[in-house]
Amino acid sequence: MADLIVTRPDLTVFTLDMDYGLGVVAKGSRNTDVPFTIDEVKQGDYAFFEKNRKQLLNLKHPKFIREFIKSV
């Protein structure tokens, strides 16, 4: 998910924060600012991902799916 969030501004990408997560990828523009480059993501270690997981996965509360579906 992180690589899509960083490299594909033409997609809406987010992860619902539940159990193991539920990734959603849809046509549309990026719905978040990304402060990382693809090189930072590729070189990141576990500590990097743990520290930045909310941004790298674009984590959303499970109820966000209702709002997303209404906007499509």
Side-chain angles (χ1 to χ4, degrees), residues 50-72:
E50 184 62 26
K51 179 181 176 186
N52 301 295
R53 64 189 284 271
K54 289 183 181 181
Q55 290 176 300
L56 290 169
L57 296 174
N58 194 16
L59 283 179
K60 303 289 185 187
H61 189 279
K63 291 182 180 180
F64 177 77
I65 196 68
R66 292 179 186 155
E67 180 182 324
F68 176 73
I69 290 172
K70 287 179 184 178
S71 72
V72 179

Side-chain angles (χ1 to χ4, degrees), residues 3-4 6-9 11 15 18 20 24-25 29 31-32 34-36 40 47 49-50 53 55-56 60 65 67-68:
D3 59 340
L4 287 176
V6 172
T7 63
R8 296 293 305 270
L11 298 177
T15 303
M18 52 195 287
Y20 294 101
V24 177
V25 180
S29 61
N31 59 354
T32 187
V34 182
F36 307 107
E40 290 173 312
F49 284 100
E50 184 62 26
R53 64 189 284 271
Q55 290 176 300
L56 290 169
K60 303 289 185 187
I65 196 68
E67 180 182 324
F68 176 73

